[in-house]
Amino acid sequence: MEARWGAAVLLVVLVRSWALVSGQVRYSVPEEAKVGTVVGRLSQELGVEAGDAEARRLRVVWQGRRASVEVSGASGALVVSSRLDREELCGKSAPCSLRLELLQERPLRVFHVELEVTDINDNAPLFPAARKNISLPENSPVGSRFPLEGASDADIGANAQLSYKFSPSEHFQLDLQKTEEDGDSLFLVLTKALDRETVPLHRLLLTASDGGRPSLTGTMELVISVLDANDNIPQFNQSVYKVQLPENTERGTLVIKLNARDLDEGTNGNIVYSLQKLFPQDEREVFEIDRKSGEIRLRGDLDFEDVRLYRLQVDAADQGNPPQLGHCKVVLEVLDVNDNAPEVWVTSLSVPVPEDASVGTVVALLSVSDRDSGANGRVQCSVWPTSPFGLESRFAGSYSLVLREALDRERVSEYEVEVRAEDGGKPSLRARRGVRVPVSDVNDNAPSFSQAVYTVLARENNAAGAELARLWARDPDEADNGRVSYSLWEGVAGAPWSGGGWRPASSYVSVDAESGRLWAVQPLDYEELQVLQFEVRAVDAGEPPLVGNATVQLFVVDENDNAPALLPTAGGGAGLVPFAGSVAGSSVEGASGSESETLWAWAAWGSPAGQVVAKIRAVDADSGYNAWLRYEVWEPRGKGPFRVGLYSGEVSTARALEEADGPRQRLVIVVRDHGEPSRSATATLSVSLVEGGEAALVAAGSSSSSLMSGVVLPVEGGAASSSANVWLVVAICAVSSLLVLALVLYGAARWAPRAAVLSGPAPATLVCASEVGSWSYSQRQSRSLCVAEGAGKSDLMVFSPNLPPPPPGPSAKDTSQPQPTALLNTVSGPPFLFSSTHHSLLACPHSLRLLFSSLALFASPLACWMPESVCGRVLMEAFF
C-alpha cells in the first residue's frame, strides 16, 4: 500500500511539473484512488486561498455529469470524491485524460483542469467465458487450426500485455500470432488425430497472464467435444448366419433377430435394417425384416420342393451423411417335411392287350416321383390286383407294368389295375393311379353248343316249314370271332328211305345259318321215319375259323293216324288163329267206319268155361299207345257164352256150352287202339257148335288140309291146361333171367365209364305192359321217346334197340373243339326205358330205370300164376 501511495505522490509531482511547464493545470491521479485523496492544490495553482474556495463557490463540472473529484471547501484542494475507474472512464484509451471545468461562481470564472487517470494493474485478463465448448469433427485432419478468442485486459500498457499457456495435451497445442494489424491471434492446433470412440471429450485449461506487477492471470476451460464423424460402419457379430426351418413353419414365425453395432453416435449410430434376397431371384416376398429391431420373420410359405435354400443379405445402414453400410448373410435351409404324396404317371400305355399275349409283355410304362427328399421321397410301388399283372423297376422312378399270367378275354374282358405308391415318411403318404387295360379278343374259342346231343321231338304230319327246335352255340369271343353261322353237316347219313338206300338229313330238315333255327323241309311220317340223326356245325367268322359240332336226334312222335288191321291166318283167312278143337276161316265184310272181317270157328258142345276157341290177331301201324290194342265183344251184348281177352284177342268160352245156345253164335269183336282219338277195326266171328266127334274131325281136317273147311272139335281141357303150365314155367324162367341180366347191367353201367355212341336209325321192338298184366307187341321200328302231350299213362314200355352202324361217310367232327365224354340222351347197350307217366324223355343209360322195368316184368307173370289164366297164355305168346 505504501508503494502505491509513493507512486501517486510521484505522479502528482510530475503533473505539477508538467502544468507549470505548459501553463495549464494538469493533475494526475491513479485509478482506484481512495475517496478524499488530494488530487491537487487548486488554491496554490489558481491563487485562491484556502478559505476563499468555499466563498467563491468553486465546483467541478464534467460534461454534465457528476465528476468523481470535487473541490474541498475547507482546503480548496481537488480531492477524489468517488471511485475512479480508468477502464470505466476511458476504456482502453491511453492516456486517460479527463477535461474538467472548475467553475467559480463569485466571481464567475472558469478554469480548465485536465485530470489524467493513470492505470494500475487492477484488472486480470478476462476471457469471454469461463468455459468454452468447442466441437471438433473427429475426422479433422492433423494440423487443423481452430481460432480461439483470447482474453481481454481492461488495463493498458504493460498491464494489458497478455501471455497464454495451455495445459498439457497430446492432441492439441496453442499457437499465438501477433500482428500489428490484427493484434494477437490465438489458434488451437490439432497435433494428433481425434477418435471419438476412444476419447470423446477433451478438457483443457487456457491461462492468460498480463504484464503487470504482480501479474494477474485469467483462465478459461476449453471443453473440446469430439464430434462423431460417420467413420464406423455398422458391424454384425457374424458375417454369415445359418438358420434351419421346416417347410411347414407358419407365417409370422421369427426366423432370426439380427443386431448390428455402430460405434458412432447419434444419427451416425442409428441403424436401419433392410433385407435383400440373393437366391433365388424371384419376386415372392417370403421374408420381412423389422427396420429398427432387425427381426426377420416369415411372411410367405416355405416349400422345400420349390426352394431348398435361401440366401439373404441384410444391410445395416446408419443415418450419417453419407451413410455407412454394414452387411451380413443369412443362409436359411428349408427342412423337408413329408407333405407331398407320391405321384404316379402313365408315360406309355399299350392297350388293348391281346388275350394271347405272352407272359412278360409290357403293358404300360409308369413314372413315379415324390417331391420330398430322403426317406420322405423314397417310394415303394405295388399293383392291385396282384394278378395277372406285376411291376418291374427298370431304374429309379420308372416302372413297367408287365403281364405275369396268361389272359382270357372270355373270363375277364377288362382289368382295372391300380398302381399304389407309398413313400417312407412318417406318417407315410400314398397315391393311386388307375390303369384301364382292355383285353382284345383272339379267336381262341370254338363255338360250343350247350349240349353235345340234342333230342328233338317232332309230331308226324307236321307242316312243311314248321320250326322244330332252336339250336344255339355260344362263342365267348367277340365281333367276328364270336359271330356264329350254322349249317347242316351232310357227312353223316340221315335216315333209311322206304324206297331203298339212305336219304340225307337235308331232305327232311334245314338249319337257318344265322339264328340256328331247325326247320322241317317236308311233313314227317312216323311210319316212314322214326329217328333222324344228324350233325349241326357252328362256324365262327374268325381267322382261322373254328368249328363246333352238335348231334341232333330227331324223334318223330307218332300220331294215331292208322287204324288197327287184322292179320291174315295161315290158310289165307284174316285175323283168326285156330286152336286145338277149332277151325278158323275168314271172309271180309264191310263195316261202318272200320275194317270188318268175318271169321269162322267151331266149338264142341259141353266145352268147359275158359276153353279157347279162336284168337283174333290184329296190328296197328302206329306205335306205343297208338298201337296198343284192346279187344271187346260188341255183339251180342250182355251175358253171352263167349268172351274175348281184353289185350290177348283170345275168344274163349265164358261158361260151359249148352244146346240152348243154338248151333251157331255170331260175335262182333271191336279192336281198338289207345290213341287219342282212338281208331278201331271190327271182326265178325261165327262160332258153330258141334258134337265132340265132329269137332275132332274138323280139327284133323284142318290140320291136314291147311284149314280149308270143316269143323274141328276142341281138345280136352286137361291137355290144354298141361301145355299152358309148361309155357308158364318157361315164361317165369325167362323173366327171372331178365331180372338177373338187368342187375348185372345195372352194376356194369354204375361203375363203367360212359362213352358217347353215335348211331343211326334202326328198328326196335316195343313191348307194352298194361296195368292188368296182359301184353302185346308191335314190330314197328321205334326209339326211346316220350310223348310230351296227352294224358298221362301208367304203363311201362321197354324198347330193345337194334341199331346198325350208319353208312360210311366223311367224318363231320372238327378237332378244333374237344369232344365231351358223354352225350346227353345217347344210349349204348341196355334197352331204352320209357314211362308214360312222366312226360319227358328218360335218359336211356340209367340202369336204375332198367331195374324197375325188370321188376315189372317179373311182377306181371305173378298176376297170371294160374295155368288156366288167359294172361299166362298171352304172356307166353308175347315172349315167344
Side-chain angles (χ1 to χ4, degrees):
M1 195 66 179
E2 293 180 353
R4 294 182 62 186
W5 282 110
V9 172
L10 179 62
L11 179 60
V12 171
V13 172
L14 291 176
V15 170
R16 293 186 66 182
S17 298
W18 171 73
L20 293 175
V21 173
S22 62
Q24 185 178 3
V25 178
R26 293 176 178 268
Y27 296 104
S28 177
V29 60
E31 64 175 333
E32 301 297 335
K34 294 181 177 181
V35 176
T37 302
V38 176
V39 176
R41 300 289 183 179
L42 289 177
S43 60
Q44 295 178 7
E45 298 294 337
L46 298 177
V48 178
E49 294 292 336
D52 293 338
E54 183 176 0
R56 296 181 180 185
R57 295 186 181 182
L58 290 175
R59 58 184 181 91
V60 179
V61 179
W62 182 35
Q63 297 177 357
R65 293 185 298 173
R66 183 178 179 274
S68 298
V69 295
E70 63 181 10
V71 177
S72 173
S75 62
L78 187 63
V79 297
V80 177
S81 63
S82 63
R83 177 177 176 267
L84 284 174
D85 187 359
R86 192 199 68 83
E87 289 78 21
E88 182 182 352
L89 296 175
C90 297
K92 293 296 289 183
S93 298
C96 182
S97 297
L98 301 179
R99 294 183 182 276
L100 304 176
E101 291 181 354
L102 184 64
L103 181 63
Q104 180 179 310
E105 293 181 358
R106 297 176 181 176
L108 184 60
R109 291 179 61 186
V110 177
F111 299 95
H112 293 280
V113 178
E114 185 177 349
L115 179 63
E116 180 181 0
V117 180
T118 59
D119 183 46
I120 64 172
N121 195 20
D122 59 346
N123 290 285
L126 182 63
F127 287 94
R131 173 182 295 178
K132 182 175 181 59
N133 294 320
I134 302 176
S135 296
L136 297 180
E138 64 174 326
N139 58 355
S140 299
V142 176
S144 298
R145 301 167 66 86
F146 304 97
L148 296 176
E149 186 177 357
S152 62
D153 196 329
D155 297 328
I156 61 173
N159 295 330
Q161 292 180 356
L162 301 179
S163 62
Y164 298 92
K165 64 179 181 180
F166 221 12
S167 59
S169 173
E170 61 177 346
H171 292 87
F172 300 95
Q173 68 180 8
L174 196 61
D175 183 21
L176 181 61
Q177 293 182 357
K178 295 184 178 183
T179 61
E180 294 181 356
E181 297 177 355
D182 298 330
D184 296 340
S185 296
L186 189 62
F187 295 94
L188 183 66
V189 180
L190 182 63
T191 59
K192 185 179 180 180
L194 300 175
D195 187 1
R196 190 202 64 82
E197 289 72 36
T198 303
V199 182
L201 189 65
H202 296 265
R203 293 182 180 272
L204 302 176
L205 187 61
L206 179 61
T207 302
S209 301
D210 57 20
R213 300 258 178 206
S215 175
L216 298 179
T217 61
T219 60
M220 180 177 63
E221 185 182 15
L222 296 179
V223 179
I224 303 174
S225 299
V226 180
L227 298 179
D228 184 42
N230 197 17
D231 57 345
N232 290 282
I233 63 175
Q235 294 288 336
F236 292 92
N237 55 3
Q238 291 180 226
S239 60
V240 178
Y241 295 87
K242 293 184 179 181
V243 183
Q244 291 181 335
L245 284 180
E247 61 177 323
N248 59 351
T249 303
E250 296 181 356
R251 294 184 180 185
T253 301
L254 177 64
V255 178
I256 191 174
K257 182 177 182 180
L258 301 176
N259 184 21
R261 182 172 176 267
D262 194 330
L263 297 178
D264 298 325
E265 65 178 1
T267 57
N268 294 331
N270 293 336
I271 297 177
V272 176
Y273 299 91
S274 61
L275 184 64
Q276 180 182 359
K277 186 160 58 175
L278 299 178
F279 178 83
Q281 292 290 344
D282 56 17
E283 297 181 356
R284 294 188 306 159
E285 295 183 359
V286 184
F287 305 96
E288 63 181 0
I289 190 169
D290 191 308
R291 293 177 59 84
K292 292 183 178 181
S293 65
E295 291 182 350
I296 299 178
R297 293 185 179 273
L298 193 62
R299 181 177 181 180
D301 295 326
L302 299 178
D303 190 354
F304 173 84
E305 291 71 35
D306 187 12
V307 180
R308 301 186 179 186
L309 188 70
Y310 289 91
R311 292 189 180 93
L312 309 176
Q313 177 177 305
V314 180
D315 296 336
D318 57 28
Q319 295 181 355
N321 189 15
Q324 298 286 346
L325 292 177
H327 310 282
C328 75
K329 289 183 180 180
V330 177
V331 178
L332 175 64
E333 181 182 0
V334 182
L335 301 180
D336 183 41
V337 175
N338 192 23
D339 60 342
N340 289 279
E343 295 180 346
V344 181
W345 304 95
V346 179
T347 58
S348 178
L349 182 62
S350 179
V351 291
V353 180
E355 61 177 323
D356 61 348
S358 60
V359 174
T361 300
V362 177
V363 177
L365 296 179
L366 305 172
S367 177
V368 181
S369 64
D370 193 319
R371 298 182 63 192
D372 297 322
S373 64
N376 297 332
R378 287 195 293 269
V379 181
Q380 296 293 330
C381 289
S382 61
V383 64
W384 184 90
T386 56
S387 61
F389 300 99
L391 287 178
E392 292 183 359
S393 178
R394 303 296 184 184
F395 51 87
S398 178
Y399 290 86
S400 297
L401 183 65
V402 298
L403 193 62
R404 292 283 178 83
E405 299 176 3
L407 299 177
D408 186 0
R409 191 204 64 84
E410 289 70 38
R411 184 173 62 87
V412 180
S413 62
E414 183 176 283
Y415 291 89
E416 288 293 339
V417 181
E418 186 176 83
V419 179
R420 298 177 176 179
E422 181 178 359
D423 60 26
K426 292 183 182 291
S428 61
L429 298 179
R430 299 174 178 85
R432 299 179 180 181
R433 173 68 66 177
V435 180
R436 178 177 170 270
V437 182
V439 182
S440 62
D441 185 47
V442 174
N443 193 24
D444 57 345
N445 291 278
S448 174
F449 290 93
S450 59
Q451 298 175 214
V453 177
Y454 287 88
T455 300
V456 179
L457 303 179
R459 291 187 177 274
E460 65 173 328
N461 303 321
N462 61 312
E467 181 178 345
L468 302 178
R470 180 175 296 182
L471 306 181
W472 181 71
R474 178 180 178 272
D475 193 329
D477 296 326
E478 64 178 358
D480 290 343
N481 296 332
R483 190 170 65 250
V484 179
S485 60
Y486 303 88
S487 61
L488 194 66
W489 179 247
E490 297 288 356
V492 177
W497 182 40
S498 59
W502 291 77
R503 293 182 63 178
S506 59
S507 62
Y508 295 99
V509 294
S510 65
V511 178
D512 185 80
E514 295 184 358
S515 64
R517 293 183 178 182
L518 186 65
W519 306 93
V521 175
Q522 63 180 5
L524 300 176
D525 186 2
Y526 175 82
E527 288 69 39
E528 176 189 345
L529 176 69
Q530 290 80 44
V531 179
L532 178 64
Q533 179 172 298
F534 54 90
E535 286 190 0
V536 175
R537 302 187 71 182
V539 183
D540 59 29
E543 287 294 337
L546 300 180
V547 180
N549 301 318
T551 300
V552 179
Q553 291 180 341
L554 176 64
F555 293 93
V556 181
V557 179
D558 182 44
E559 293 285 341
N560 193 22
D561 57 348
N562 291 283
L566 297 176
L567 294 178
T569 62
L576 183 63
V577 178
F579 283 86
S582 67
V583 178
S586 66
S587 66
V588 178
E589 295 181 357
S592 176
S594 63
E595 182 181 352
S596 179
E597 298 286 343
T598 302
L599 310 173
W600 291 272
W602 291 263
W605 298 104
S607 297
Q611 177 69 47
V612 178
V613 298
K615 181 175 182 180
I616 306 299
R617 300 180 62 194
V619 295
D620 196 318
D622 296 322
S623 177
Y625 285 101
N626 296 330
W628 187 12
L629 304 180
R630 60 183 178 181
Y631 302 86
E632 299 177 1
V633 178
W634 185 256
E635 291 181 2
R637 295 181 179 275
K639 296 182 179 180
F642 296 97
R643 63 183 179 186
V644 64
L646 180 61
Y647 295 105
S648 64
E650 292 182 346
V651 180
S652 61
T653 58
R655 54 179 172 78
L657 298 177
E658 300 175 353
E659 292 182 1
D661 294 327
R664 177 175 292 182
Q665 292 285 332
R666 182 177 178 273
L667 303 177
V668 178
I669 299 175
V670 178
V671 183
R672 300 179 184 274
D673 58 27
H674 283 71
E676 292 292 343
S678 64
R679 294 177 176 270
S680 64
T682 303
T684 303
L685 176 62
S686 179
V687 182
S688 299
L689 302 180
V690 297
E691 296 293 336
E694 294 177 1
L697 292 175
V698 172
S702 280
S703 57
S704 62
S705 61
S706 299
L707 300 176
M708 290 187 61
S709 62
V711 176
V712 181
L713 297 178
V715 186
E716 294 295 331
S721 175
S722 176
S723 177
N725 288 337
V726 173
W727 287 111
L728 179 61
V729 171
V730 174
I732 293 174
C733 293
V735 170
S736 301
S737 301
L738 288 175
L739 175 62
V740 174
L741 178 61
L743 294 175
V744 173
L745 292 177
Y746 170 73
R750 178 66 176 83
W751 287 285
R754 300 177 182 179
V757 177
L758 297 177
S759 58
T765 302
L766 173 64
V767 182
C768 299
S770 73
E771 66 272 8
V772 297
S774 60
W775 295 77
S776 178
Y777 74 98
S778 172
Q779 295 180 347
R780 303 300 301 171
Q781 300 174 356
S782 182
R783 289 295 297 264
S784 174
L785 58 88
C786 173
V787 179
E789 300 176 2
K793 301 177 181 179
S794 60
D795 299 317
L796 181 69
M797 286 184 268
V798 181
F799 295 90
S800 300
N802 181 17
L803 304 178
S811 176
K813 299 298 178 183
D814 195 311
T815 58
S816 62
Q817 179 180 357
Q819 296 296 329
T821 57
L823 298 180
L824 182 62
N825 297 340
T826 304
V827 67
S828 172
F832 294 94
L833 299 183
F834 174 81
S835 175
S836 64
T837 303
H838 307 286
H839 293 236
S840 61
L841 181 66
L842 302 181
C844 298
H846 296 299
S847 300
L848 185 60
R849 294 193 177 97
L850 176 63
L851 177 60
F852 290 158
S853 301
S854 302
L855 291 176
L857 292 175
F858 178 72
S860 297
L862 296 181
C864 308
W865 182 259
M866 295 300 296
E868 298 295 331
S869 172
V870 177
C871 179
R873 290 195 297 272
V874 174
L875 180 64
M876 288 186 291
E877 182 179 355
F879 274 92
F880 302 103

